[in-house]
């Protein structure tokens, strides 16, 4: 059987989005992301993490002008919107990580 085995239901739900997310992170492509059925928003994908059960995607969200972390299994729609971005000071994964640790 060519049925894939996933560590969790959440990982199985995230799987269809992972190739696009990885390409978008690598090539600095902007994405349109809908989350839990909410309105689609433009994001700059920065970092993908796997927590043993759940994948999360850290982005710079233009709508909020801030970093957001989304559970990939709760993403309801994800497409490349045709755009790209250059890393900007204050909007990189390194900047996000700096917000997590005390100065």
């Amino acid at each position: 059987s060519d049925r894939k085995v996933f560590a969790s239901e959440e990982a199985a739900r995230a799987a269809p989005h992972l190739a696009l997310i990885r390409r978008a992170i690598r090539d600095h492509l902007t994405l349109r992301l809908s989350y839990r059925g909410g309105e689609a928003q433009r994001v700059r994908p920065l970092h993908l993490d796997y927590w043993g059960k759940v994948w999360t995607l850290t982005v710079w969200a233009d709508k909020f002008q801030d970093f957001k972390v989304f559970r990939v299994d709760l993403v309801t729609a994800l497409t490349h919107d045709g755009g790209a971005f250059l890393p900007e000071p204050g909007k990189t994964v390194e900047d996000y990580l700096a917000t997590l640790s005390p100065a």
Side-chain angles (χ1 to χ4, degrees), residues 4 15 31-32 36 60 64 76 80 85:
K4 291 188 177 174
L31 298 173
R32 299 266 323 148
R36 289 186 167 177
W60 175 264
F64 299 102
T76 54
H80 172 34
F85 65 94

Side-chain angles (χ1 to χ4, degrees), residues 26-59:
R26 183 189 66 228
D27 297 341
H28 302 291
L29 305 176
T30 53
L31 298 173
R32 299 266 323 148
L33 180 149
S34 297
Y35 192 68
R36 289 186 167 177
E39 186 180 321
Q41 57 181 296
R42 184 174 192 255
V43 298
R44 300 174 180 206
L46 301 174
H47 190 74
L48 192 58
D49 280 300
Y50 183 62
W51 302 95
K53 181 177 176 183
V54 173
W55 285 94
T56 58
L57 172 62
T58 303
V59 305

